[in-house]
Amino acid sequence: MISRLATALTLLLSMTALAADVVTTDKGAVSGTATADSKIRIFKGIPYAAPPVGDLRWKPPQPAASWSDTLAATEFGPRCMQGPIYSDMIFRDKAPSENCLHLNVWTPTTSANAHLPVMVWIYGGGFAAGAASEPRQDGENLARKGVVVVSMNYRLGIFGFFTHPDLAKESGHNATGNYGLMDQAAALEWVKKNIAAFGGDPAKVTIFGESAGSMSVSALMASPLSKNLFRGAIGESGSMLASLQKPVTLQDTEAANMKFAREDLGTDSLAALRAKPAEELMAAVMKNRRGGRFFAIAADGYFLPESAHDIYAAGKQAHVPLLAGWNTDEGSYHTVFGKEKPSVALYQEWMQKRFGADAKLALAMYPATDEATAKRAAGDLAGDQFIAFSTWKWVEMQLATGQSKVYRYHFEEPTPMEPTEKESRGAFHSSDIRFVFKTQGKNLAWTAGDTKLSDQMATYWSNFAKTGDPNGKGLPKWPPYSDADHFQVMHLAVPPHAAAADNRPRYEFLESWSAKGTDTAGGR
């Protein structure tokens, strides 16, 4: 009898852990699941817009249809169409689909009157890959910091950023492209309408993202469609501002996209392109690895009335607190040396070819005296050109308005090596994600210091969402970034510490050099 009672009790507790309260959204009721301790409720795969298929392909997101029965929000919605581009991306959804505009909610409260701060996550992947179902971006542990976490899928590549003259004609805005960014704005509109039912406060929304997600944050701050939908922004490695690359224009993308359509898809007819199966479009893209400047963000005249740089320069962006930074090892020394053995002579030769008449000054900014410093300098330059410079410029342009606080960080803690790795990648691009979300897992040799730093970073991030200031009890002090205080940077290492920025001259050099014209690419 006792054994049967114990079994029944265990079953009852299990059922409680799997059951979450029904929440009513503007389109219908949803039910989710709960964590084993019942402290976090999880809702997955909630449609926030209509499936962008058929005639809705390459149109701004349209309202989702209502439903009458309670929707079981227990599985991640399909990731948006993409190819196998990045080997480190692991997904928990079933398969890519064009019907992918779904979002997820992790909430630590059962009360619709909790009014908790909300953090809306935007994944990276070069606007060509990624999904909200990645385990390293799971919102459970971050939600335990007292915030509601939301993540969404948004259209990618040819489905999210294709441009065509006929799309401009039918738009009503004479605009084409940037549908993936409009998806993000639509998800923010969903949050504004619905998050209170999940215990969140629609007036306390912070957007945050990494790489292309960080670039998206900077774009959402610039767009008149979205800049009033949040009160704070966090950018991890990347922005739309002043990359060391000639800006992509709408004319550039239209010319490239029309050429691709004719040569790779056999037609530039919009009707015929909309009629093609999504798999055929994706196959054509992957066959020639079309991406980057083909399906790129440009000033479309609607989502971005001007370039993001011009919008920020005019002070027309969202004047909200900004927390942003980048990692020590955003780039690799292999960018300079390739498969050659690193040496000072080879490094100096490469720098001479790269910077020409400015090579002497460039070498002063990125000095090398032996093999070790040559590798370090080459990696620093690669990272700056790839992502760090544009993030620095974002921080500087937001600070220049004088209308909101800015906090800058530098993430420095190396990730433990994989068994197959021959050398450490250090604090590589995207490695900060696991620290922010507290999703290190058990597959690597994480240290107690790593675990503590991860908890500190999650607390800094959630504090910022709560108050617009990352500081709080028990944390090393993080000063605002300002010229009045020697541009203090928070070094996120073991232990975290603040210090005056010491690399400003090299970014000022890159800015003056890039004004002369360059072809350096970057951004994932």
Side-chain angles (χ1 to χ4, degrees):
M1 174 67 78
I2 294 175
S3 176
R4 286 198 296 270
L5 286 173
T7 301
L9 180 60
T10 300
L11 179 61
L12 179 61
L13 291 173
S14 175
M15 291 174 65
T16 301
L18 291 174
D21 293 344
V22 173
V23 174
T24 301
T25 74
D26 64 330
K27 300 301 180 183
V30 297
S31 65
T33 59
T35 54
D37 61 5
S38 300
K39 291 186 177 180
I40 304 296
R41 293 186 299 159
I42 306 166
F43 301 83
K44 302 173 183 175
I46 303 174
Y48 69 86
V53 300
D55 289 341
L56 295 186
R57 181 185 284 172
W58 301 315
K59 282 190 176 181
Q62 300 299 306
S66 298
W67 54 88
S68 54
D69 295 334
T70 298
L71 176 70
T74 57
E75 294 185 354
F76 289 105
R79 60 190 178 274
C80 293
M81 292 297 296
Q82 59 191 275
I85 298 175
Y86 300 115
S87 61
D88 62 333
M89 287 187 173
I90 300 170
F91 305 111
R92 292 179 288 178
D93 57 81
K94 292 180 179 178
S97 171
E98 203 171 359
N99 178 9
C100 63
L101 300 185
H102 303 87
L103 54 73
N104 318 295
V105 180
W106 290 264
T107 179
T109 181
T110 58
S111 172
N113 297 315
H115 305 296
L116 295 178
V118 183
M119 300 185 71
V120 180
W121 170 254
I122 307 169
Y123 56 77
F127 298 105
S133 69
E134 275 203 82
R136 62 180 168 177
Q137 301 170 12
D138 190 278
E140 177 186 332
N141 291 329
L142 187 57
R144 291 180 184 274
K145 293 293 184 179
V147 294
V148 178
V149 179
V150 178
S151 63
M152 92 291 281
N153 288 341
Y154 59 92
R155 281 173 284 180
L156 302 164
I158 189 172
F159 299 93
F161 298 93
F162 184 69
T163 54
H164 191 295
D166 288 345
L167 287 171
K169 292 176 183 177
E170 72 174 30
S171 70
H173 307 285
N174 195 33
T176 174
N178 293 340
Y179 306 108
L181 293 174
M182 294 183 210
D183 294 342
Q184 297 170 13
L188 289 173
E189 290 282 6
W190 184 95
V191 168
K192 182 179 180 180
K193 293 177 183 176
N194 294 290
I195 206 64
F198 296 84
D201 189 335
K204 298 178 181 178
V205 175
T206 295
I207 56 175
F208 69 130
E210 187 271 341
S211 196
S214 184
M215 295 171 72
S216 297
V217 170
S218 70
L220 290 165
M221 287 176 64
S223 176
L225 274 63
S226 53
K227 70 177 185 179
N228 296 317
L229 296 175
F230 49 88
R231 70 168 191 175
I234 300 174
E236 303 171 32
S237 304
S239 88
M240 291 298 301
L241 301 171
S243 68
L244 299 176
Q245 184 178 23
K246 181 182 177 182
V248 179
T249 67
L250 188 59
Q251 291 72 27
D252 290 337
T253 65
E254 283 189 350
N257 289 181
M258 295 295 284
K259 183 175 185 289
F260 166 71
R262 288 190 298 269
E263 295 181 357
D264 293 70
L265 293 167
T267 180
D268 60 11
S269 161
L270 182 56
L273 291 169
R274 276 188 169 139
K276 287 184 176 293
E279 292 76 13
E280 183 178 345
L281 299 183
M282 199 69 247
V285 170
M286 293 304 296
K287 180 181 179 181
N288 297 302
R289 292 302 298 269
R290 304 280 193 176
R293 296 172 74 85
F294 272 84
F295 309 116
I297 296 172
D300 60 342
Y302 178 55
F303 184 87
L304 290 174
E306 310 167 73
S307 72
H309 182 277
D310 289 348
I311 290 171
Y312 277 78
K316 297 177 183 178
Q317 77 275 25
H319 298 294
V320 298
L322 173 66
L323 185 155
W326 57 91
N327 302 354
T328 299
D329 301 291
E330 297 283 3
S332 167
Y333 68 85
H334 293 291
T335 302
V336 172
F337 295 110
K339 295 182 180 180
E340 298 288 334
K341 179 178 172 58
S343 70
V344 174
L346 192 59
Y347 172 68
Q348 291 176 340
E349 180 184 346
W350 188 93
M351 293 287 277
Q352 184 64 53
K353 292 178 181 177
R354 181 72 177 124
F355 291 99
D358 294 312
K360 184 176 181 179
L361 184 54
L363 286 165
M365 296 294 105
Y366 300 89
T369 56
D370 54 23
E371 180 181 330
T373 54
K375 290 169 66 175
R376 181 69 263 169
D380 287 343
L381 177 59
D384 288 349
Q385 293 185 133
F386 169 50
I387 214 103
F389 174 79
S390 68
T391 316
W392 173 82
K393 189 61 180 176
W394 182 18
V395 168
E396 293 292 316
M397 295 188 82
Q398 187 70 358
L399 181 66
T401 67
Q403 298 189 46
S404 55
K405 282 190 175 182
V406 175
Y407 295 88
R408 182 181 145 191
Y409 74 84
H410 192 240
F411 177 72
E412 301 167 357
E413 190 65 15
T415 291
M417 290 173 58
E418 298 277 358
T420 57
E421 289 181 325
K422 296 180 180 179
E423 64 178 340
S424 172
R425 291 186 289 162
F428 58 85
H429 184 66
S430 79
S431 62
D432 53 302
I433 296 174
R434 290 188 179 276
F435 282 79
V436 170
F437 282 92
K438 299 186 66 177
T439 52
Q440 283 98 338
K442 300 179 180 180
N443 60 322
L444 297 177
W446 302 100
T447 67
D450 293 331
T451 301
K452 182 176 181 179
L453 176 62
S454 176
D455 188 69
Q456 289 170 320
M457 288 176 63
T459 306
Y460 279 132
W461 263 236
S462 56
N463 283 351
F464 182 82
K466 294 172 183 176
T467 66
D469 184 329
N471 291 288
K473 184 178 179 180
L475 292 171
K477 177 69 176 178
W478 186 336
Y481 184 74
S482 73
D483 57 356
D485 197 21
H486 307 289
F487 299 104
Q488 293 286 310
V489 175
M490 194 66 184
H491 294 263
L492 296 173
V494 179
H497 61 281
D502 59 1
N503 51 13
R504 188 178 189 85
R506 80 187 196 199
Y507 296 116
E508 291 174 338
F509 160 72
L510 288 175
E511 184 169 37
S512 63
W513 173 76
S514 67
K516 302 175 183 179
T518 179
D519 61 357
T520 300
R524 170 183 162 186

